[in-house]
Amino acid sequence: MKDKEEEEELLLSEYCLQHQDSRSSDSDQSAFHYPPVHMETSPRTKLIVDHRKSRSPCGSLYVLAASVMASLGGILFGYDIGIISGAILQLKEKFCLSCFDQELVVSSMLFGALLGSCFGGMIIDWFGRRFTIIVNAGIFTIGAVIAAGAPVFYVVVIGRVVLGFAVSVSAIAECIYISEIAPAKRRGLLVSLNELGITCGLLIAYLVNYACIDIENGWRYMFVISVIPAVIQGIGMIFLPPSPRFLMLHKQQSKAEAVLLKLRGGCNVEKEIDNIRTAVYYEKNTHCCDIFSKSDNMRGRLFIGAGLVFFQQFTGQPNVLYYASTILEAVGFHTDSAATLATVGLGGVKVLMTIVALLCVDRWGRRKFLLVGATLMGMSLLVLGLVTHYESGQSITNPCQEDMFCQRFNSTSVLLNSSLEIQTHVTENAVISNFTTNTTVYPILPFKLHGDDAGRVLAFTALLTFVAAYGFSFGPISWLVLSEIFPSAIRGRAIALTTTLNWGTNLVISAVFLDMINGFGVSGTFFFFSSVCIVSVIFIFTTVPETKGKSLEQISEEMNKRSIISGMKARCFRCLRCFVVYNTELHEST
């Protein structure tokens, strides 16, 4: 059976070469020229022709299977981000972590992700999309095993750095791979599978947190569970095809055409191959430095990509993920288990909205989802700011501050942050502590709603709305647009650059969140994020193009001719004209 499949694939490959070489006018005008080879008229060739002309649904299933397998990396992405919210509760007791230590555990993954985004693009462009995904599954496994088997706290940090590197490379490689194997009419749906995987990973992480939170050393189980999807993905991708566009970039045309035939179920791929070949010809001499050049409107493309990932983070989404339990405690969920269980509801809403985007993005378009989502996010943050401003309450205890009564301190002196010295004398019944300097306590969320139930319900509804709006807008659509707007030759490095900005802004916004709370107050912080959402709406309306239903080569050609300034002027003029027409009709009706 295997020999028969190999023979059939060989026949398809031979026919692709012969059919390509025998083209008349189209091939003569293409970027590459091949000497004409006369077609065979044997029964073997007729069998191949019949196979190509038959439109088999197996091609669509093959593309779907490859996309789903690649999207398992999204599950690992979301899981490793969400699992730390539950694991940290046990880690701080197990290793008696200080506030700085807890922040180090959380931020170590962001640091690893920053490293991954710096080097991941070059790896993807040099070694291929599929090969990178396979190797990255192994990195996921190594990081999970290191974190789960850690004998000391700093080994957990090392494991989280490794996982962060894998998460970042995963976000780049899988979106590129899916976008390059997917047909234009289904690319939005298939690329969004990766974001669906991320949201499902978050939901699974919240469920695992709830299941393991009361188990001794449950944090080890939390970390090691991620090995399962990593192994499945690594093995599964071995049996799936490489990207045909990557093969064309590396002058493997016959293999690229054979792969594309299999992905399209044997239907006609001549036009698609022509488009890919032409794009490769113009992009083959593109270098990394060209990302910042004026040619091919690369600066405009980079501006759009950088803007999307900037607003994806600076609209406050990371803080909702990292501090969800604390926010939920503030709006009425007063125990750790209740707050952890409530995060499952947030995860469920996020998954549901991602499915909506996945099913409808190719019908309604990218811009509509982004505009509606950013608007709803701004409104929900405004409501949260108003509720926290007018509700009376008092500060809650800071769960991140150093625990002076930790029984695991058996040394006589511990120096924290070079400014706080805790003198401890441990006995069976008491711990006597002396602080040599005063410290300022920064509460994570210094408010608690003690008003009526309406305020709690309103705040929780606003939080759900925020998560839902992000789930169908910035979450899936940003990565989709990024995978579409850059040329094939430097797509990996260009997306890696924008991903570096993504993780950098994530790190910054997470690091300054406590200081913002302390400086502006909770309501002021929510108002700030709400204003950023308004700016993002303006940015999306004036700069982000609509890529619905277009091939990657069509998008690239349009982006070459598109100027950011002219595009902004055209959309602003159109908006002004609509406003004038509306006012005119309003006056005439009155």
Side-chain angles (χ1 to χ4, degrees):
M1 183 68 181
K2 184 176 180 181
D3 294 337
K4 185 177 179 181
E5 291 179 356
E6 290 177 354
E7 182 181 357
E8 184 179 353
E9 187 170 347
L10 181 61
L11 291 174
L12 286 172
S13 179
E14 290 175 359
Y15 173 76
C16 293
L17 277 175
Q18 294 168 355
H19 188 69
Q20 178 66 47
D21 294 336
S22 64
R23 291 180 194 166
S24 55
S25 59
D26 290 342
S27 62
D28 294 336
Q29 297 176 5
S30 64
F32 298 100
H33 178 72
Y34 302 93
V37 178
H38 294 289
M39 288 285 294
E40 296 180 9
T41 58
S42 65
R44 287 180 55 184
T45 303
K46 292 180 179 179
L47 177 65
I48 300 169
V49 173
D50 292 339
H51 181 80
R52 288 184 76 253
K53 288 182 178 179
S54 61
R55 293 176 174 269
S56 170
C58 296
S60 300
L61 295 176
Y62 194 52
V63 173
L64 180 62
S67 301
V68 170
M69 188 60 65
S71 299
L72 286 178
I75 293 179
L76 290 164
F77 185 140
Y79 183 87
D80 287 313
I81 287 178
I83 202 64
I84 194 62
S85 64
I88 195 67
L89 299 177
Q90 291 192 346
L91 286 172
K92 69 179 181 182
E93 295 179 1
K94 172 69 175 179
F95 298 111
C96 199
L97 302 184
S98 65
C99 179
F100 174 78
D101 292 335
Q102 294 179 55
E103 292 173 344
L104 184 61
V105 173
V106 175
S107 61
S108 58
M109 183 174 176
L110 300 178
F111 178 73
L114 203 57
L115 289 177
S117 61
C118 291
F119 300 104
M122 293 183 290
I123 296 172
I124 293 165
D125 284 338
W126 289 345
F127 298 104
R129 287 66 160 139
R130 187 190 65 152
F131 180 78
T132 302
I133 293 173
I134 293 171
V135 173
N136 197 53
I139 298 175
F140 266 120
T141 302
I142 293 171
V145 171
I146 291 174
V152 294
F153 154 67
Y154 290 106
V155 178
V156 177
V157 174
I158 294 172
R160 294 289 292 173
V161 171
V162 175
L163 285 170
F165 183 91
V167 160
S168 181
V169 174
S170 169
I172 304 170
E174 287 147 13
C175 287
I176 294 177
Y177 176 77
I178 297 173
S179 70
E180 290 184 348
I181 67 171
K185 294 182 179 180
R186 293 289 180 268
R187 190 174 57 250
L189 184 149
L190 294 174
V191 173
S192 297
L193 284 175
N194 190 62
E195 179 62 24
L196 178 62
I198 294 174
T199 57
C200 288
L202 283 168
L203 179 58
I204 293 170
Y206 293 150
L207 289 169
V208 172
N209 283 340
Y210 181 71
C212 298
I213 195 68
D214 295 323
I215 300 175
E216 185 178 0
N217 289 325
W219 60 275
R220 296 189 187 274
Y221 300 107
M222 295 178 189
F223 287 136
V224 81
I225 285 175
S226 64
V227 170
I228 299 173
V231 171
I232 294 174
Q233 185 190 44
I235 296 175
M237 288 300 297
I238 295 174
F239 302 99
L240 293 171
S243 163
R245 286 171 173 82
F246 176 79
L247 294 173
M248 290 288 286
L249 281 169
H250 288 74
K251 302 178 181 179
Q252 301 181 48
Q253 178 186 333
S254 60
K255 188 181 292 186
E257 194 161 350
V259 167
L260 199 58
L261 277 168
K262 197 169 185 180
L263 290 170
R264 300 296 178 261
C267 63
N268 199 323
V269 296
E270 295 174 4
K271 184 176 180 181
E272 190 170 357
I273 284 290
D274 275 343
N275 291 336
I276 294 174
R277 183 190 295 109
T278 303
V280 167
Y281 174 76
Y282 287 111
E283 297 168 3
K284 65 178 181 179
N285 295 320
T286 306
H287 302 288
C288 187
C289 296
D290 293 334
I291 295 175
F292 304 99
S293 68
K294 292 182 179 180
S295 62
D296 296 333
N297 193 26
M298 283 306 302
R299 292 182 183 177
R301 301 181 196 221
L302 191 61
F303 178 74
I304 294 172
L308 283 175
V309 298
F310 175 84
F311 288 114
Q312 187 185 48
Q313 301 299 327
F314 257 83
T315 47
Q317 183 266 346
N319 298 318
V320 172
L321 287 180
Y322 300 143
Y323 302 109
S325 296
T326 309
I327 295 173
L328 288 168
E329 285 184 353
V331 297
F333 298 86
H334 300 303
T335 64
D336 289 343
S337 60
T340 304
L341 182 60
T343 58
V344 175
L346 293 180
V349 169
K350 194 174 177 68
V351 170
L352 180 62
M353 290 299 103
T354 304
I355 293 175
V356 171
L358 183 148
L359 296 176
C360 302
V361 66
D362 286 317
R363 183 186 310 168
W364 296 346
R366 284 67 161 151
R367 281 171 51 85
K368 289 181 181 178
F369 275 107
L370 286 171
L371 288 169
V372 174
T375 303
L376 287 176
M377 288 169 66
M379 293 172 61
S380 60
L381 288 170
L382 179 63
V383 171
L384 276 172
L386 292 172
V387 171
T388 55
H389 178 74
Y390 288 107
E391 287 283 352
S392 60
Q394 58 187 6
S395 296
I396 64 174
T397 305
N398 179 9
C400 188
Q401 70 184 31
E402 289 79 5
D403 187 0
M404 72 182 73
F405 299 105
C406 181
Q407 298 296 326
R408 303 187 193 280
F409 279 117
N410 51 20
S411 62
T412 58
S413 177
V414 179
L415 185 64
L416 296 177
N417 297 333
S418 301
S419 64
L420 176 62
E421 185 175 327
I422 306 177
Q423 302 293 336
T424 62
H425 304 282
V426 182
T427 65
E428 291 184 358
N429 300 319
V431 177
I432 304 174
S433 303
N434 293 317
F435 289 84
T436 58
T437 59
N438 293 326
T439 60
T440 303
V441 175
Y442 294 90
I444 283 187
L445 198 58
F447 78 101
K448 200 165 203 173
L449 301 181
H450 292 294
D452 54 16
D453 291 337
R456 297 191 187 98
V457 171
L458 184 60
F460 184 61
T461 303
L463 188 61
L464 284 175
T465 303
F466 177 85
V467 171
Y470 181 88
F472 67 75
S473 59
F474 278 114
I477 308 301
S478 296
W479 295 109
L480 172 58
V481 174
L482 286 177
S483 69
E484 295 175 326
I485 62 175
F486 294 111
S488 300
I490 55 172
R491 184 170 291 138
R493 282 162 286 181
I495 295 179
L497 182 62
T498 55
T499 305
T500 301
L501 177 62
N502 180 285
W503 289 110
T505 51
N506 190 326
L507 186 60
V508 169
I509 201 66
S510 301
V512 303
F513 183 65
L514 305 184
D515 292 325
M516 289 181 65
I517 291 288
N518 186 67
F520 302 135
V522 177
S523 58
T525 302
F526 284 138
F527 290 148
F528 169 78
F529 287 136
S530 179
S531 63
V532 173
C533 288
I534 296 174
V535 178
S536 72
V537 171
I538 298 173
F539 170 82
I540 294 164
F541 179 78
T542 56
T543 63
V544 177
E546 182 55 72
T547 58
K548 176 185 69 172
K550 301 175 183 176
S551 70
L552 295 177
E553 289 69 36
Q554 283 179 299
I555 296 169
S556 186
E557 184 179 355
E558 291 179 5
M559 293 294 295
N560 290 343
K561 304 174 183 178
R562 187 177 186 272
S563 168
I564 291 293
I565 302 299
S566 61
M568 292 175 66
K569 287 181 179 178
R571 288 201 170 99
C572 289
F573 178 76
R574 191 184 312 154
C575 184
L576 181 62
R577 185 175 59 184
C578 292
F579 179 75
V580 171
V581 171
Y582 174 77
N583 278 338
T584 303
E585 292 178 352
L586 186 64
H587 284 301
E588 289 177 354
S589 62
T590 55

